[in-house]
Amino acid sequence: MKRLLDFLIALFALLILLPVVIIVAVLIRLKLGSPILFTQDRPGLNGNVFKMMKFRTMLDGKDKHGNLLPDDERMTKFGAFLRSTSLDELPGLFNVLKGDMSLVGPRPLLVQYLPLYNKEQARRHNVRPGITGWAQVNGRNAISWEQKFKLDVWYVDNQSFLLDMKILFLTVKKVFIREGISAEGEATMSLFEGNDKK
């Protein structure tokens, strides 16, 4: 049932938001250049890797060694606006249509984190990742990794239609008040470096 609802809602949302998608794509092309989309390998259901799509929000600035500059140096005001309004997430609806993602679920993180999770944290991959999730409406990037993973696993154990509706409603609210967009002192979120081995 959840997969069917995901597909129908994502399809309806894309049809309704198509003018917005086109306008954002044109503005990205004018302000940030090509490519318009940012794609990256992310682990999905059962840790299977897929290509996640988002609108591009950063420049491709590199240092003299050819390495990308830190996020805060590549982020533009326009890119920050796209993130704060979650407009950069709109292409994720295509991932939902394909079945890689759900509307609601733990956010898909970096593939490099897979070997760093403990057994409990890894359970976040027992469901499809989501465009939004329980952690996103309870702090987003302003909470610690430990808190985020606990919220993700709590969702896995307590998911239901009513909870998903609540999360979608709270997501819209969070977008309007633009809360928890980034961690303190970070353009987005600091890298997860594993659990304390002490």
Side-chain angles (χ1 to χ4, degrees), residues 23-197:
I23 291 170
V24 171
V26 170
L27 288 174
I28 291 172
R29 180 66 178 84
L30 293 174
K31 292 177 177 290
L32 301 178
S34 294
I36 292 169
L37 291 179
F38 169 78
T39 60
Q40 189 176 54
D41 286 344
R42 296 289 177 97
L45 180 63
N46 299 320
N48 295 320
V49 176
F50 70 97
K51 290 281 185 186
M52 187 188 75
M53 294 180 283
K54 296 176 70 172
F55 275 130
R56 180 183 174 199
T57 58
M58 294 185 184
L59 297 171
D60 288 329
K62 298 181 180 179
D63 62 22
K64 60 183 179 181
H65 302 294
N67 300 312
L68 285 174
L69 294 171
D71 287 357
D72 59 345
E73 294 183 38
R74 295 188 294 121
M75 181 70 73
T76 64
K77 287 184 178 180
F78 176 63
F81 169 76
L82 291 179
R83 289 200 178 199
S84 68
T85 55
S86 294
L87 288 171
D88 64 318
E89 300 286 354
L90 289 178
L93 292 170
F94 290 104
N95 285 122
V96 176
L97 289 180
K98 289 173 59 183
D100 297 325
M101 294 177 65
S102 176
L103 291 173
V104 178
R107 283 291 294 168
L109 301 175
L110 299 176
V111 174
Q112 70 197 56
Y113 295 168
L114 284 173
L116 303 179
Y117 298 134
N118 60 36
K119 187 175 181 180
E120 181 71 3
Q121 292 166 347
R123 293 206 297 120
R124 68 192 308 279
H125 296 294
N126 289 353
V127 297
R128 282 188 178 88
I131 291 179
T132 186
W134 190 232
Q136 278 58 54
V137 299
N138 283 283
R140 200 170 174 179
N141 288 329
I143 58 176
S144 70
W145 281 113
E146 184 179 3
Q147 290 171 303
K148 186 175 292 193
F149 294 144
K150 283 183 178 178
L151 291 167
D152 287 342
V153 172
W154 183 91
Y155 173 80
V156 171
D157 293 336
N158 294 276
Q159 60 181 312
S160 67
F161 174 77
L162 289 179
L163 179 59
D164 283 2
M165 293 301 102
K166 178 180 179 179
I167 291 172
L168 289 173
F169 172 77
L170 290 173
T171 297
V172 174
K173 179 182 175 183
K174 291 281 184 180
V175 167
F176 276 107
I177 62 177
R178 302 187 189 183
E179 184 179 70
I181 298 162
S182 59
E184 186 175 353
E186 302 282 346
T188 51
M189 181 78 180
S190 61
L191 291 174
F192 176 57
E193 297 179 343
N195 298 283
D196 191 352
K197 300 297 192 297

